[in-house]
Amino acid sequence: MKQIKIKYFSDEMERLDYIDGKSDWIDLRASEEVELKKGEFKLIPLGVAMELPKGFEAHILPRSSTFKNFGIIQTNHCGIVDGSYCGDNDMWRMPALAVRDTVIHVNDRICQFRIVENQPEIHFEEVEHLTGTDRGGFGTTGRQ
């Protein structure tokens, strides 16, 4: 089991934990009340900073209910927190764009994260031709 140092920026914040064995993702919550008008962008504070283990990063994505409940879209679609973002003031935030007027309250669950191992170092070998089957196009159908 990996040990991760975590700093909470507010005593009001519910502490992070798995959700009763339902998933290995962990919910993140707003650490302050945020009011957004339609079309407005804001970095929503999540109230935590962490020291990730060497060779790991965190992937942050919206919860499946975030758009329905709050009318916000995470603007980078998948946030990556690398191991260098680990200082006392490196609070995690969710970059959000509101598609309708909304209010997010302290401890509202708005996104989730998981810790993953960094990609191993790779080397690209340039070739004239690849040996795989040529599917001839875009996506799974090969049609454009």
Side-chain angles (χ1 to χ4, degrees), residues 86-141:
C86 61
D88 263 345
N89 296 309
D90 291 335
M91 184 189 336
W92 293 10
R93 299 171 191 272
M94 178 187 181
L97 178 68
V99 299
R100 60 175 165 82
D101 292 357
T102 190
V103 177
I104 300 164
H105 302 283
V106 173
N107 282 313
D108 279 347
R109 297 179 300 159
I110 58 170
C111 53
Q112 57 192 333
F113 79 101
R114 71 181 317 162
I115 306 295
V116 296
E117 210 163 349
N118 294 139
Q119 176 172 286
E121 187 175 322
I122 57 175
H123 171 76
F124 293 99
E125 176 188 354
E126 190 171 338
V127 298
E128 288 292 322
H129 301 284
L130 300 174
T131 59
T133 303
D134 187 357
R135 295 176 44 197
F138 176 80
T140 59
T141 64

Side-chain angles (χ1 to χ4, degrees), residues 63-72 100 102-104 109:
R63 298 181 76 241
S64 60
S65 61
T66 297
F67 183 76
K68 175 181 67 79
N69 291 341
F70 302 105
I72 60 173
R100 60 175 165 82
T102 190
V103 177
I104 300 164
R109 297 179 300 159

